[in-house]
Amino acid sequence: MGLTKVHTRLITYLLSFKKLLQDAAGVLLLRQWKQIEKENIVSVEDSMLPEIRKIQAEGFKNGSLEKLVKYSKNSRNIFYVIKNGDKVVGYCIYYLKPILSFKGFEKQSVICSIATDRNFRGRGFAEKLLENSIEEMKLNGISSILLYVNVNNLPAIRLYKKTGFRVIKEVINICGQKETCYEMEFRLF
Ligand SMILES: CC(C)(COP(=O)(O)OP(=O)(O)OC[C@H]1O[C@@H](n2cnc3c(N)ncnc32)[C@H](O)[C@@H]1OP(=O)(O)O)[C@@H](O)C(=O)NCCC(=O)NCCS
């Protein structure tokens, strides 16, 4: 095997190991998660996944049921679902990670997916999901919330700015191959 192949394989293993550690840390940080009273917003249940998958597919080219199942198992309390009556009309998924800053150890959360059913957009559902989940993050001592958004996704950028996120920097290859996105942050503490 060539040196380049060994090197590539090693990097792949290290990245998978880092992901495993991150997932495990996220699960630990979620223990004793405190929930606030929320109107029409609930934690995900398995029975909701087909409806959520439909909303995800409308909103993203590269979404997958596998990803939804993974987060519904690992991060149920921070996989928020908003309903209109009995109908699921939107969702917002976070994961948690520990970070080291000059203040010491902090808990950070990352929004990894948010979408509203195409027929229910423009009615404040995503904004309500964000406001309520951010309040809950605060109660649980999360120091900041991060997200990545394609620079061309103007509805989402407006939504995030309106909710209080600010652009930190531009990054490539996170929202898709060779695509540019903004890293945005909401500081809680
Ligand atoms: C982005 C998205 C989640 C917004 O959901 P939504 O429920 O329609 O948003 P809301 O009705 O809560 O809108 C709240 C604010 O967001 C902004 N916004 C939402 N849709 C907008 C649009 N089409 N154009 C401009 N601004 C928009 C506005 O500031 C709006 O407040 P306002 O109505 O007082 O002006 C939705 O368009 C979506 O699912 N898009 C596809 C998936 C996606 O791109 N997710 C984000 C990935 S980073």
Side-chain angles (χ1 to χ4, degrees), residues 64-108:
S64 73
L65 180 62
E66 199 189 347
K67 184 174 169 183
L68 297 178
V69 170
K70 176 185 149 187
Y71 285 108
S72 70
K73 288 202 187 325
N74 290 354
S75 326
R76 186 170 293 267
N77 284 338
I78 50 172
F79 186 147
Y80 300 92
V81 175
I82 189 159
K83 290 178 138 191
N84 184 37
D86 280 343
K87 187 172 169 36
V88 169
V89 293
Y91 71 86
C92 179
I93 311 175
Y94 291 79
Y95 65 85
L96 302 184
K97 60 177 192 178
I99 53 161
L100 257 181
S101 76
F102 64 92
K103 291 188 210 157
F105 163 76
E106 288 181 29
K107 288 186 278 180
Q108 188 176 60

mmCIF file of all heavy atoms in Angstrom, residues 64-108:
data_model
loop_
_atom_site.group_PDB
_atom_site.id
_atom_site.type_symbol
_atom_site.label_atom_id
_atom_site.label_comp_id
_atom_site.label_asym_id
_atom_site.label_seq_id
_atom_site.Cartn_x
_atom_site.Cartn_y
_atom_site.Cartn_z
ATOM 1 N N SER A 64 -30.890 12.666 5.350
ATOM 2 C CA SER A 64 -31.112 11.218 5.343
ATOM 3 C C SER A 64 -31.878 10.792 6.581
ATOM 4 O O SER A 64 -31.777 11.413 7.639
ATOM 5 C CB SER A 64 -29.775 10.479 5.293
ATOM 6 O OG SER A 64 -29.145 10.580 6.552
ATOM 7 N N LEU A 65 -32.614 9.697 6.430
ATOM 8 C CA LEU A 65 -33.368 9.151 7.558
ATOM 9 C C LEU A 65 -32.392 8.658 8.624
ATOM 10 O O LEU A 65 -32.629 8.793 9.823
ATOM 11 C CB LEU A 65 -34.266 8.003 7.066
ATOM 12 C CG LEU A 65 -35.108 7.327 8.133
ATOM 13 C CD1 LEU A 65 -36.094 8.307 8.773
ATOM 14 C CD2 LEU A 65 -35.888 6.151 7.566
ATOM 15 N N GLU A 66 -31.262 8.128 8.160
ATOM 16 C CA GLU A 66 -30.234 7.594 9.075
ATOM 17 C C GLU A 66 -29.806 8.667 10.084
ATOM 18 O O GLU A 66 -29.691 8.414 11.278
ATOM 19 C CB GLU A 66 -29.049 7.171 8.222
ATOM 20 C CG GLU A 66 -28.116 6.211 8.891
ATOM 21 C CD GLU A 66 -26.858 6.039 8.047
ATOM 22 O OE1 GLU A 66 -26.835 6.450 6.867
ATOM 23 O OE2 GLU A 66 -25.893 5.506 8.608
ATOM 24 N N LYS A 67 -29.609 9.888 9.566
ATOM 25 C CA LYS A 67 -29.181 10.995 10.416
ATOM 26 C C LYS A 67 -30.271 11.322 11.458
ATOM 27 O O LYS A 67 -29.987 11.517 12.639
ATOM 28 C CB LYS A 67 -28.909 12.210 9.519
ATOM 29 C CG LYS A 67 -28.362 13.416 10.230
ATOM 30 C CD LYS A 67 -28.006 14.491 9.205
ATOM 31 C CE LYS A 67 -27.700 15.809 9.894
ATOM 32 N NZ LYS A 67 -27.428 16.880 8.948
ATOM 33 N N LEU A 68 -31.531 11.322 10.987
ATOM 34 C CA LEU A 68 -32.645 11.623 11.900
ATOM 35 C C LEU A 68 -32.740 10.565 12.994
ATOM 36 O O LEU A 68 -32.933 10.889 14.168
ATOM 37 C CB LEU A 68 -33.966 11.682 11.121
ATOM 38 C CG LEU A 68 -34.096 12.777 10.057
ATOM 39 C CD1 LEU A 68 -35.432 12.667 9.339
ATOM 40 C CD2 LEU A 68 -33.962 14.155 10.698
ATOM 41 N N VAL A 69 -32.587 9.295 12.591
ATOM 42 C CA VAL A 69 -32.693 8.200 13.573
ATOM 43 C C VAL A 69 -31.568 8.325 14.592
ATOM 44 O O VAL A 69 -31.784 8.215 15.802
ATOM 45 C CB VAL A 69 -32.646 6.824 12.855
ATOM 46 C CG1 VAL A 69 -32.519 5.693 13.864
ATOM 47 C CG2 VAL A 69 -33.892 6.643 11.997
ATOM 48 N N LYS A 70 -30.357 8.629 14.102
ATOM 49 C CA LYS A 70 -29.202 8.757 15.004
ATOM 50 C C LYS A 70 -29.465 9.849 16.059
ATOM 51 O O LYS A 70 -29.311 9.609 17.259
ATOM 52 C CB LYS A 70 -27.948 9.089 14.190
ATOM 53 C CG LYS A 70 -26.736 9.325 15.048
ATOM 54 C CD LYS A 70 -25.537 9.766 14.229
ATOM 55 C CE LYS A 70 -24.676 10.671 15.065
ATOM 56 N NZ LYS A 70 -23.583 11.278 14.343
ATOM 57 N N TYR A 71 -29.885 11.030 15.606
ATOM 58 C CA TYR A 71 -30.087 12.116 16.567
ATOM 59 C C TYR A 71 -31.310 11.866 17.463
ATOM 60 O O TYR A 71 -31.328 12.281 18.610
ATOM 61 C CB TYR A 71 -30.200 13.463 15.846
ATOM 62 C CG TYR A 71 -28.860 13.940 15.361
ATOM 63 C CD1 TYR A 71 -28.529 13.936 14.019
ATOM 64 C CD2 TYR A 71 -27.892 14.362 16.276
ATOM 65 C CE1 TYR A 71 -27.277 14.352 13.584
ATOM 66 C CE2 TYR A 71 -26.645 14.776 15.852
ATOM 67 C CZ TYR A 71 -26.341 14.769 14.504
ATOM 68 O OH TYR A 71 -25.099 15.167 14.077
ATOM 69 N N SER A 72 -32.314 11.167 16.925
ATOM 70 C CA SER A 72 -33.487 10.898 17.765
ATOM 71 C C SER A 72 -33.115 9.934 18.883
ATOM 72 O O SER A 72 -33.736 9.931 19.937
ATOM 73 C CB SER A 72 -34.646 10.361 16.927
ATOM 74 O OG SER A 72 -34.349 9.068 16.479
ATOM 75 N N LYS A 73 -32.093 9.114 18.657
ATOM 76 C CA LYS A 73 -31.648 8.189 19.711
ATOM 77 C C LYS A 73 -30.685 8.877 20.678
ATOM 78 O O LYS A 73 -30.818 8.773 21.893
ATOM 79 C CB LYS A 73 -30.939 6.980 19.086
ATOM 80 C CG LYS A 73 -31.884 6.045 18.371
ATOM 81 C CD LYS A 73 -31.281 4.658 18.256
ATOM 82 C CE LYS A 73 -32.115 3.738 17.396
ATOM 83 N NZ LYS A 73 -33.555 3.912 17.463
ATOM 84 N N ASN A 74 -29.693 9.600 20.113
ATOM 85 C CA ASN A 74 -28.628 10.178 20.953
ATOM 86 C C ASN A 74 -29.029 11.475 21.631
ATOM 87 O O ASN A 74 -28.502 11.813 22.678
ATOM 88 C CB ASN A 74 -27.384 10.492 20.102
ATOM 89 C CG ASN A 74 -26.700 9.244 19.641
ATOM 90 O OD1 ASN A 74 -27.078 8.154 20.041
ATOM 91 N ND2 ASN A 74 -25.701 9.387 18.787
ATOM 92 N N SER A 75 -29.901 12.260 20.982
ATOM 93 C CA SER A 75 -30.160 13.618 21.482
ATOM 94 C C SER A 75 -31.647 13.926 21.535
ATOM 95 O O SER A 75 -32.068 15.019 21.154
ATOM 96 C CB SER A 75 -29.498 14.654 20.568
ATOM 97 O OG SER A 75 -28.304 14.216 20.036
ATOM 98 N N ARG A 76 -32.435 12.956 21.973
ATOM 99 C CA ARG A 76 -33.899 13.106 21.934
ATOM 100 C C ARG A 76 -34.379 14.431 22.550
ATOM 101 O O ARG A 76 -35.221 15.120 21.984
ATOM 102 C CB ARG A 76 -34.539 11.919 22.663
ATOM 103 C CG ARG A 76 -36.044 11.863 22.584
ATOM 104 C CD ARG A 76 -36.545 10.533 23.110
ATOM 105 N NE ARG A 76 -36.154 9.423 22.249
ATOM 106 C CZ ARG A 76 -36.906 8.932 21.273
ATOM 107 N NH1 ARG A 76 -38.099 9.425 21.056
ATOM 108 N NH2 ARG A 76 -36.475 7.937 20.522
ATOM 109 N N ASN A 77 -33.806 14.798 23.714
ATOM 110 C CA ASN A 77 -34.285 16.002 24.402
ATOM 111 C C ASN A 77 -34.004 17.293 23.641
ATOM 112 O O ASN A 77 -34.655 18.309 23.875
ATOM 113 C CB ASN A 77 -33.621 16.137 25.782
ATOM 114 C CG ASN A 77 -34.217 15.169 26.770
ATOM 115 O OD1 ASN A 77 -35.335 14.718 26.578
ATOM 116 N ND2 ASN A 77 -33.472 14.843 27.816
ATOM 117 N N ILE A 78 -33.012 17.258 22.756
ATOM 118 C CA ILE A 78 -32.691 18.496 22.033
ATOM 119 C C ILE A 78 -32.957 18.334 20.522
ATOM 120 O O ILE A 78 -32.378 18.996 19.691
ATOM 121 C CB ILE A 78 -31.249 18.973 22.328
ATOM 122 C CG1 ILE A 78 -30.235 17.853 22.143
ATOM 123 C CG2 ILE A 78 -31.161 19.561 23.725
ATOM 124 C CD1 ILE A 78 -28.793 18.322 22.241
ATOM 125 N N PHE A 79 -33.842 17.413 20.231
ATOM 126 C CA PHE A 79 -34.385 17.249 18.877
ATOM 127 C C PHE A 79 -35.826 17.742 19.014
ATOM 128 O O PHE A 79 -36.723 17.020 19.402
ATOM 129 C CB PHE A 79 -34.317 15.777 18.483
ATOM 130 C CG PHE A 79 -34.696 15.446 17.065
ATOM 131 C CD1 PHE A 79 -34.068 14.399 16.413
ATOM 132 C CD2 PHE A 79 -35.671 16.164 16.375
ATOM 133 C CE1 PHE A 79 -34.418 14.052 15.106
ATOM 134 C CE2 PHE A 79 -36.018 15.830 15.073
ATOM 135 C CZ PHE A 79 -35.396 14.762 14.444
ATOM 136 N N TYR A 80 -35.999 19.044 18.739
ATOM 137 C CA TYR A 80 -37.272 19.706 18.989
ATOM 138 C C TYR A 80 -38.185 19.602 17.762
ATOM 139 O O TYR A 80 -37.736 19.809 16.633
ATOM 140 C CB TYR A 80 -37.056 21.191 19.296
ATOM 141 C CG TYR A 80 -36.188 21.436 20.499
ATOM 142 C CD1 TYR A 80 -34.807 21.603 20.371
ATOM 143 C CD2 TYR A 80 -36.742 21.500 21.783
ATOM 144 C CE1 TYR A 80 -34.002 21.835 21.483
ATOM 145 C CE2 TYR A 80 -35.943 21.732 22.895
ATOM 146 C CZ TYR A 80 -34.571 21.896 22.734
ATOM 147 O OH TYR A 80 -33.788 22.126 23.836
ATOM 148 N N VAL A 81 -39.468 19.345 18.048
ATOM 149 C CA VAL A 81 -40.439 19.232 16.967
ATOM 150 C C VAL A 81 -41.578 20.200 17.275
ATOM 151 O O VAL A 81 -42.056 20.265 18.409
ATOM 152 C CB VAL A 81 -40.992 17.790 16.904
ATOM 153 C CG1 VAL A 81 -42.102 17.683 15.873
ATOM 154 C CG2 VAL A 81 -39.868 16.802 16.602
ATOM 155 N N ILE A 82 -41.986 20.977 16.263
ATOM 156 C CA ILE A 82 -43.101 21.915 16.477
ATOM 157 C C ILE A 82 -44.330 21.409 15.728
ATOM 158 O O ILE A 82 -44.220 20.890 14.609
ATOM 159 C CB ILE A 82 -42.713 23.365 16.083
ATOM 160 C CG1 ILE A 82 -43.809 24.337 16.515
ATOM 161 C CG2 ILE A 82 -42.404 23.522 14.610
ATOM 162 C CD1 ILE A 82 -43.349 25.780 16.654
ATOM 163 N N LYS A 83 -45.478 21.542 16.407
ATOM 164 C CA LYS A 83 -46.704 21.009 15.820
ATOM 165 C C LYS A 83 -47.727 22.109 15.593
ATOM 166 O O LYS A 83 -47.725 23.125 16.297
ATOM 167 C CB LYS A 83 -47.306 19.983 16.767
ATOM 168 C CG LYS A 83 -46.481 18.717 16.860
ATOM 169 C CD LYS A 83 -47.110 17.764 17.843
ATOM 170 C CE LYS A 83 -47.075 16.357 17.322
ATOM 171 N NZ LYS A 83 -47.889 15.451 18.131
ATOM 172 N N ASN A 84 -48.594 21.900 14.619
ATOM 173 C CA ASN A 84 -49.751 22.758 14.419
ATOM 174 C C ASN A 84 -50.938 21.815 14.577
ATOM 175 O O ASN A 84 -51.207 21.010 13.696
ATOM 176 C CB ASN A 84 -49.712 23.359 13.005
ATOM 177 C CG ASN A 84 -50.832 24.339 12.765
ATOM 178 O OD1 ASN A 84 -51.209 25.090 13.653
ATOM 179 N ND2 ASN A 84 -51.381 24.332 11.559
ATOM 180 N N GLY A 85 -51.596 21.850 15.733
ATOM 181 C CA GLY A 85 -52.576 20.813 16.059
ATOM 182 C C GLY A 85 -51.823 19.500 16.217
ATOM 183 O O GLY A 85 -50.826 19.439 16.937
ATOM 184 N N ASP A 86 -52.272 18.483 15.462
ATOM 185 C CA ASP A 86 -51.602 17.169 15.557
ATOM 186 C C ASP A 86 -50.483 17.032 14.532
ATOM 187 O O ASP A 86 -49.742 16.052 14.540
ATOM 188 C CB ASP A 86 -52.624 16.045 15.284
ATOM 189 C CG ASP A 86 -53.459 15.782 16.514
ATOM 190 O OD1 ASP A 86 -53.034 16.211 17.612
ATOM 191 O OD2 ASP A 86 -54.536 15.192 16.378
ATOM 192 N N LYS A 87 -50.382 18.007 13.627
ATOM 193 C CA LYS A 87 -49.441 17.865 12.519
ATOM 194 C C LYS A 87 -48.050 18.382 12.842
ATOM 195 O O LYS A 87 -47.906 19.483 13.363
ATOM 196 C CB LYS A 87 -50.022 18.614 11.304
ATOM 197 C CG LYS A 87 -49.210 18.379 10.064
ATOM 198 C CD LYS A 87 -49.846 18.940 8.831
ATOM 199 C CE LYS A 87 -48.885 18.927 7.650
ATOM 200 N NZ LYS A 87 -47.981 17.809 7.554
ATOM 201 N N VAL A 88 -47.051 17.583 12.508
ATOM 202 C CA VAL A 88 -45.664 18.032 12.661
ATOM 203 C C VAL A 88 -45.375 19.020 11.536
ATOM 204 O O VAL A 88 -45.556 18.702 10.357
ATOM 205 C CB VAL A 88 -44.696 16.823 12.542
ATOM 206 C CG1 VAL A 88 -43.260 17.293 12.419
ATOM 207 C CG2 VAL A 88 -44.867 15.890 13.724
ATOM 208 N N VAL A 89 -44.956 20.254 11.894
ATOM 209 C CA VAL A 89 -44.721 21.246 10.832
ATOM 210 C C VAL A 89 -43.272 21.742 10.780
ATOM 211 O O VAL A 89 -42.910 22.492 9.879
ATOM 212 C CB VAL A 89 -45.687 22.451 10.941
ATOM 213 C CG1 VAL A 89 -47.115 22.020 10.661
ATOM 214 C CG2 VAL A 89 -45.577 23.135 12.286
ATOM 215 N N GLY A 90 -42.463 21.322 11.729
ATOM 216 C CA GLY A 90 -41.065 21.755 11.683
ATOM 217 C C GLY A 90 -40.247 21.057 12.749
ATOM 218 O O GLY A 90 -40.788 20.428 13.664
ATOM 219 N N TYR A 91 -38.938 21.153 12.602
ATOM 220 C CA TYR A 91 -38.055 20.540 13.598
ATOM 221 C C TYR A 91 -36.747 21.310 13.673
ATOM 222 O O TYR A 91 -36.390 22.059 12.742
ATOM 223 C CB TYR A 91 -37.780 19.050 13.252
ATOM 224 C CG TYR A 91 -36.894 18.905 12.040
ATOM 225 C CD1 TYR A 91 -35.495 18.925 12.172
ATOM 226 C CD2 TYR A 91 -37.421 18.809 10.758
ATOM 227 C CE1 TYR A 91 -34.674 18.836 11.057
ATOM 228 C CE2 TYR A 91 -36.607 18.712 9.645
ATOM 229 C CZ TYR A 91 -35.229 18.727 9.801
ATOM 230 O OH TYR A 91 -34.410 18.656 8.705
ATOM 231 N N CYS A 92 -36.059 21.142 14.778
ATOM 232 C CA CYS A 92 -34.724 21.731 14.938
ATOM 233 C C CYS A 92 -33.885 20.744 15.757
ATOM 234 O O CYS A 92 -34.281 20.375 16.869
ATOM 235 C CB CYS A 92 -34.849 23.075 15.662
ATOM 236 S SG CYS A 92 -33.263 23.879 15.926
ATOM 237 N N ILE A 93 -32.769 20.321 15.189
ATOM 238 C CA ILE A 93 -31.918 19.328 15.871
ATOM 239 C C ILE A 93 -30.605 19.976 16.320
ATOM 240 O O ILE A 93 -29.929 20.638 15.520
ATOM 241 C CB ILE A 93 -31.555 18.156 14.932
ATOM 242 C CG1 ILE A 93 -32.794 17.600 14.246
ATOM 243 C CG2 ILE A 93 -30.815 17.066 15.686
ATOM 244 C CD1 ILE A 93 -32.469 16.521 13.212
ATOM 245 N N TYR A 94 -30.255 19.734 17.555
ATOM 246 C CA TYR A 94 -28.977 20.207 18.102
ATOM 247 C C TYR A 94 -28.139 19.010 18.522
ATOM 248 O O TYR A 94 -28.667 17.922 18.761
ATOM 249 C CB TYR A 94 -29.189 20.988 19.394
ATOM 250 C CG TYR A 94 -29.868 22.319 19.304
ATOM 251 C CD1 TYR A 94 -31.253 22.416 19.186
ATOM 252 C CD2 TYR A 94 -29.138 23.501 19.417
ATOM 253 C CE1 TYR A 94 -31.886 23.662 19.167
ATOM 254 C CE2 TYR A 94 -29.766 24.739 19.405
ATOM 255 C CZ TYR A 94 -31.134 24.812 19.279
ATOM 256 O OH TYR A 94 -31.759 26.042 19.265
ATOM 257 N N TYR A 95 -26.820 19.217 18.662
ATOM 258 C CA TYR A 95 -26.005 18.294 19.449
ATOM 259 C C TYR A 95 -25.125 19.130 20.358
ATOM 260 O O TYR A 95 -24.929 20.331 20.123
ATOM 261 C CB TYR A 95 -25.204 17.306 18.579
ATOM 262 C CG TYR A 95 -24.143 17.897 17.689
ATOM 263 C CD1 TYR A 95 -22.862 18.147 18.158
ATOM 264 C CD2 TYR A 95 -24.426 18.194 16.357
ATOM 265 C CE1 TYR A 95 -21.893 18.682 17.331
ATOM 266 C CE2 TYR A 95 -23.460 18.727 15.519
ATOM 267 C CZ TYR A 95 -22.208 18.966 16.007
ATOM 268 O OH TYR A 95 -21.249 19.505 15.190
ATOM 269 N N LEU A 96 -24.620 18.489 21.403
ATOM 270 C CA LEU A 96 -23.806 19.221 22.380
ATOM 271 C C LEU A 96 -22.357 18.803 22.278
ATOM 272 O O LEU A 96 -22.060 17.653 21.943
ATOM 273 C CB LEU A 96 -24.281 18.909 23.809
ATOM 274 C CG LEU A 96 -25.740 19.214 24.156
ATOM 275 C CD1 LEU A 96 -25.991 18.931 25.632
ATOM 276 C CD2 LEU A 96 -26.103 20.657 23.837
ATOM 277 N N LYS A 97 -21.456 19.739 22.595
ATOM 278 C CA LYS A 97 -20.038 19.344 22.663
ATOM 279 C C LYS A 97 -19.308 20.166 23.719
ATOM 280 O O LYS A 97 -19.657 21.338 23.944
ATOM 281 C CB LYS A 97 -19.360 19.443 21.304
ATOM 282 C CG LYS A 97 -19.349 20.790 20.669
ATOM 283 C CD LYS A 97 -18.566 20.701 19.365
ATOM 284 C CE LYS A 97 -18.261 22.069 18.831
ATOM 285 N NZ LYS A 97 -17.484 22.074 17.624
ATOM 286 N N PRO A 98 -18.314 19.547 24.358
ATOM 287 C CA PRO A 98 -17.536 20.297 25.337
ATOM 288 C C PRO A 98 -16.466 21.105 24.601
ATOM 289 O O PRO A 98 -15.900 20.637 23.620
ATOM 290 C CB PRO A 98 -16.877 19.198 26.179
ATOM 291 C CG PRO A 98 -16.858 17.996 25.296
ATOM 292 C CD PRO A 98 -17.890 18.152 24.230
ATOM 293 N N ILE A 99 -16.215 22.334 25.044
ATOM 294 C CA ILE A 99 -15.107 23.094 24.452
ATOM 295 C C ILE A 99 -14.255 23.699 25.574
ATOM 296 O O ILE A 99 -14.759 23.961 26.661
ATOM 297 C CB ILE A 99 -15.573 24.214 23.487
ATOM 298 C CG1 ILE A 99 -16.604 25.131 24.155
ATOM 299 C CG2 ILE A 99 -16.095 23.674 22.196
ATOM 300 C CD1 ILE A 99 -16.731 26.469 23.449
ATOM 301 N N LEU A 100 -13.008 23.909 25.243
ATOM 302 C CA LEU A 100 -12.109 24.551 26.213
ATOM 303 C C LEU A 100 -11.897 25.989 25.779
ATOM 304 O O LEU A 100 -11.555 26.253 24.628
ATOM 305 C CB LEU A 100 -10.771 23.840 26.208
ATOM 306 C CG LEU A 100 -10.494 22.890 27.378
ATOM 307 C CD1 LEU A 100 -9.106 22.291 27.220
ATOM 308 C CD2 LEU A 100 -10.649 23.550 28.733
ATOM 309 N N SER A 101 -12.159 26.927 26.678
ATOM 310 C CA SER A 101 -11.900 28.317 26.330
ATOM 311 C C SER A 101 -11.033 28.916 27.440
ATOM 312 O O SER A 101 -10.698 28.227 28.400
ATOM 313 C CB SER A 101 -13.215 29.091 26.233
ATOM 314 O OG SER A 101 -13.697 29.371 27.530
ATOM 315 N N PHE A 102 -10.733 30.205 27.319
ATOM 316 C CA PHE A 102 -9.909 30.812 28.374
ATOM 317 C C PHE A 102 -10.653 30.834 29.715
ATOM 318 O O PHE A 102 -10.067 30.945 30.770
ATOM 319 C CB PHE A 102 -9.438 32.220 27.960
ATOM 320 C CG PHE A 102 -10.568 33.189 27.783
ATOM 321 C CD1 PHE A 102 -10.981 33.987 28.841
ATOM 322 C CD2 PHE A 102 -11.222 33.309 26.557
ATOM 323 C CE1 PHE A 102 -12.023 34.877 28.676
ATOM 324 C CE2 PHE A 102 -12.275 34.196 26.396
ATOM 325 C CZ PHE A 102 -12.680 34.983 27.454
ATOM 326 N N LYS A 103 -12.004 30.647 29.646
ATOM 327 C CA LYS A 103 -12.788 30.595 30.891
ATOM 328 C C LYS A 103 -12.780 29.189 31.490
ATOM 329 O O LYS A 103 -13.307 28.963 32.559
ATOM 330 C CB LYS A 103 -14.240 30.984 30.611
ATOM 331 C CG LYS A 103 -14.444 32.428 30.250
ATOM 332 C CD LYS A 103 -15.949 32.696 30.203
ATOM 333 C CE LYS A 103 -16.310 33.764 29.223
ATOM 334 N NZ LYS A 103 -17.679 33.707 28.750
ATOM 335 N N GLY A 104 -12.250 28.222 30.740
ATOM 336 C CA GLY A 104 -12.223 26.824 31.207
ATOM 337 C C GLY A 104 -13.138 25.983 30.349
ATOM 338 O O GLY A 104 -13.369 26.288 29.178
ATOM 339 N N PHE A 105 -13.734 24.951 30.959
ATOM 340 C CA PHE A 105 -14.593 24.033 30.225
ATOM 341 C C PHE A 105 -15.987 24.638 30.018
ATOM 342 O O PHE A 105 -16.583 25.159 30.937
ATOM 343 C CB PHE A 105 -14.667 22.734 31.039
ATOM 344 C CG PHE A 105 -15.782 21.842 30.664
ATOM 345 C CD1 PHE A 105 -15.710 21.082 29.500
ATOM 346 C CD2 PHE A 105 -16.902 21.734 31.459
ATOM 347 C CE1 PHE A 105 -16.754 20.255 29.146
ATOM 348 C CE2 PHE A 105 -17.951 20.901 31.113
ATOM 349 C CZ PHE A 105 -17.874 20.160 29.952
ATOM 350 N N GLU A 106 -16.458 24.609 28.782
ATOM 351 C CA GLU A 106 -17.794 25.148 28.499
ATOM 352 C C GLU A 106 -18.597 24.136 27.698
ATOM 353 O O GLU A 106 -18.033 23.284 27.016
ATOM 354 C CB GLU A 106 -17.688 26.413 27.625
ATOM 355 C CG GLU A 106 -17.166 27.620 28.343
ATOM 356 C CD GLU A 106 -17.116 28.846 27.427
ATOM 357 O OE1 GLU A 106 -17.929 28.939 26.490
ATOM 358 O OE2 GLU A 106 -16.263 29.701 27.664
ATOM 359 N N LYS A 107 -19.933 24.245 27.800
ATOM 360 C CA LYS A 107 -20.800 23.378 26.995
ATOM 361 C C LYS A 107 -21.326 24.202 25.820
ATOM 362 O O LYS A 107 -21.921 25.260 26.022
ATOM 363 C CB LYS A 107 -22.000 22.908 27.823
ATOM 364 C CG LYS A 107 -21.644 21.889 28.885
ATOM 365 C CD LYS A 107 -22.891 21.346 29.576
ATOM 366 C CE LYS A 107 -23.394 22.262 30.655
ATOM 367 N NZ LYS A 107 -24.591 21.756 31.344
ATOM 368 N N GLN A 108 -21.075 23.699 24.623
ATOM 369 C CA GLN A 108 -21.545 24.412 23.432
ATOM 370 C C GLN A 108 -22.583 23.538 22.720
ATOM 371 O O GLN A 108 -22.492 22.314 22.777
ATOM 372 C CB GLN A 108 -20.359 24.639 22.495
ATOM 373 C CG GLN A 108 -20.659 25.535 21.319
ATOM 374 C CD GLN A 108 -19.412 25.802 20.497
ATOM 375 O OE1 GLN A 108 -18.807 24.877 19.973
ATOM 376 N NE2 GLN A 108 -19.024 27.052 20.384
#
